[in-house]
Amino acid sequence: MDKFEKTNAQFEAVVGECAALFEQKLHDYRASWRILRPQSLTDQLFIKAKRIRQLELTGLSLVGEGVRGEFVALVNYGIVGLIQLQHGFSDTVDMDNETAMQEYNKFAREALELMKRKNHDYDEAWRSMRVSSYTDLILTKIERIKEIENLSGQTLVSEGIDANYMDIINYAVFGLIKMKTEH
């Protein structure tokens, strides 16, 4: 297995874990996230990334949940963001669990395909990065999303919100892979 095949397998395994949790939460809550407006979803991503940064800086968690769970949440909320971009938000839970999982899997595959292309072009540079750098890059992507939202999507040269969601997903997956393989 070459290095790219190894990364692809690790990516798929980590996203599989994220998808399993997503499916369990669908069972418990249905697709209640359908009511999230774009700005609320951005704030949810921000809260998760900010908490990771705080845990990295202090090492102290008063609620007993760690960095790994927050990276999983970033993957899942990133995919929710892509679903919301495609379907818009709703005033009700208007998506059944099966459809939500189909959408989740579609965007997870798209994230994997993007990662494969970028990983080839950057020659696995992510493996030499620190997990804390992923956190900072995710926070940067969230700030970019906020600015794009403030501009009502009217950017001059920048990628859209969807590209930023994809990058958040991929950086979070890289963090999960590194945390799993380095400890």
Side-chain angles (χ1 to χ4, degrees):
M1 177 181 298
D2 73 13
K3 65 184 177 182
F4 296 119
E5 291 171 330
K6 178 182 175 187
T7 296
N8 297 348
Q10 289 174 317
F11 188 101
E12 289 177 3
V14 164
V15 171
E17 293 172 28
C18 297
L21 179 62
F22 187 84
E23 190 166 31
Q24 291 170 340
K25 288 196 175 204
L26 276 175
H27 173 271
D28 292 349
Y29 306 127
R30 297 183 21 217
S32 58
W33 42 263
R34 288 288 295 131
I35 66 169
L36 288 172
R37 291 176 286 176
Q39 298 84 351
S40 299
L41 184 57
T42 302
D43 287 344
Q44 187 64 23
L45 286 163
F46 176 75
I47 289 166
K48 299 298 182 183
K50 192 71 170 163
R51 182 156 190 277
I52 292 170
R53 189 170 180 161
Q54 184 66 16
L55 290 169
E56 289 171 346
L57 292 171
T58 67
L60 180 62
S61 171
L62 298 182
V63 294
E65 297 171 1
V67 170
R68 184 168 184 75
E70 301 298 356
F71 273 127
V72 169
L74 286 169
V75 170
N76 287 345
Y77 277 115
I79 292 175
V80 164
L82 292 166
I83 295 169
Q84 294 293 79
L85 280 177
Q86 182 172 339
H87 295 280
F89 68 92
S90 176
D91 288 332
T92 62
V93 179
D94 64 348
M95 186 177 289
D96 62 58
N97 291 358
E98 183 178 339
T99 302
M101 280 310 301
Q102 289 170 352
E103 290 293 304
Y104 182 100
N105 291 328
K106 176 182 80 172
F107 286 114
R109 283 189 303 275
E110 287 182 21
L112 171 64
E113 292 306 314
L114 175 65
M115 183 280 298
K116 287 178 181 178
R117 292 189 304 274
K118 285 188 172 185
N119 198 39
H120 175 271
D121 288 357
Y122 289 95
D123 194 30
E124 299 253 310
W126 69 271
R127 289 203 183 267
S128 298
M129 294 171 62
R130 297 171 186 96
V131 173
S132 60
S133 293
Y134 306 140
T135 305
D136 292 349
L137 289 166
I138 289 167
L139 283 164
T140 300
K141 296 292 180 179
I142 293 166
E143 287 300 319
R144 289 177 180 179
I145 291 169
K146 286 181 182 181
E147 287 304 314
I148 293 169
E149 289 171 348
N150 291 342
L151 293 169
S152 300
Q154 301 301 310
T155 60
L156 299 177
V157 296
S158 301
E159 295 178 310
I161 292 174
D162 58 337
N164 286 285
Y165 283 150
M166 282 289 190
D167 287 343
I168 289 168
I169 293 164
N170 285 335
Y171 286 131
V173 169
F174 290 157
L176 289 164
I177 291 170
K178 285 199 79 156
M179 291 174 71
K180 192 174 222 179
T181 59
E182 292 182 356
H183 292 98

